[in-house]
Amino acid sequence: MTTSPTARMITDAAEASGKTLREIATDMGLERGNVISMLKSGEMRMPIERIPAFAAATGIDPLALTRVAMSEYMPETWAVLAASASPVQEIQVNIRAPGAVVERFKAICQTERRNYGDMLGLLLDVWEGDVEKMV
């Protein structure tokens, strides 16, 4: 297992997407799925210009992946950029729930090819009756 934070994030996104590596590669406009395997293992670095395509293919937040990749690959450059940007607050939620409920939520995310944060946002839109945001 790699110690690369970017590779770990890529691995998590690929697995959560419910797609095969070949499907992700195809969605990114790549000819071979082994490129995704190399990204997951840390053998190959994620080209920064490919982040939007990977994010669209897997449902991951492109800014979160950019932040992790840039801070790992180009820490000095990222420090300059981050210092001038307005901060984005991310919060991790730990949920205690029956296993069946958590597994249902994970299955829905996988079926819909959305990450947990995006799906939570959709559920909140439904709860608030904002059907327009669901589309």
Side-chain angles (χ1 to χ4, degrees), residues 1-118:
M1 173 129 186
T2 181
T3 59
S4 164
T6 307
R8 281 191 308 247
M9 189 173 212
I10 290 167
T11 299
D12 290 346
E15 290 173 2
S17 76
K19 295 181 179 181
T20 66
L21 300 184
R22 180 78 177 129
E23 289 173 322
I24 294 170
T26 299
D27 290 352
M28 290 178 65
L30 302 173
E31 293 182 21
R32 299 184 325 212
N34 69 330
V35 171
I36 307 302
S37 294
M38 292 188 297
L39 292 169
K40 285 176 57 178
S41 70
E43 181 181 339
M44 177 180 159
R45 288 182 168 190
M46 170 66 80
I48 300 301
E49 65 276 8
R50 292 284 190 174
I51 288 176
F54 180 81
T58 60
I60 192 172
D61 177 8
L63 294 177
L65 182 55
T66 301
R67 182 175 58 249
V68 171
M70 290 286 294
S71 63
E72 179 180 354
Y73 304 158
M74 299 174 254
E76 297 84 11
T77 303
W78 181 247
V80 171
L81 293 172
S84 62
S86 57
V88 174
Q89 183 179 7
E90 287 190 6
I91 299 172
Q92 183 170 334
V93 177
N94 228 350
I95 299 174
R96 173 169 272 200
V101 172
V102 173
E103 291 306 316
R104 278 180 55 210
F105 180 73
K106 289 167 60 175
I108 291 169
C109 291
Q110 186 173 20
T111 300
E112 294 296 317
R113 296 183 174 173
R114 297 183 184 274
N115 63 41
Y116 298 155
D118 290 343

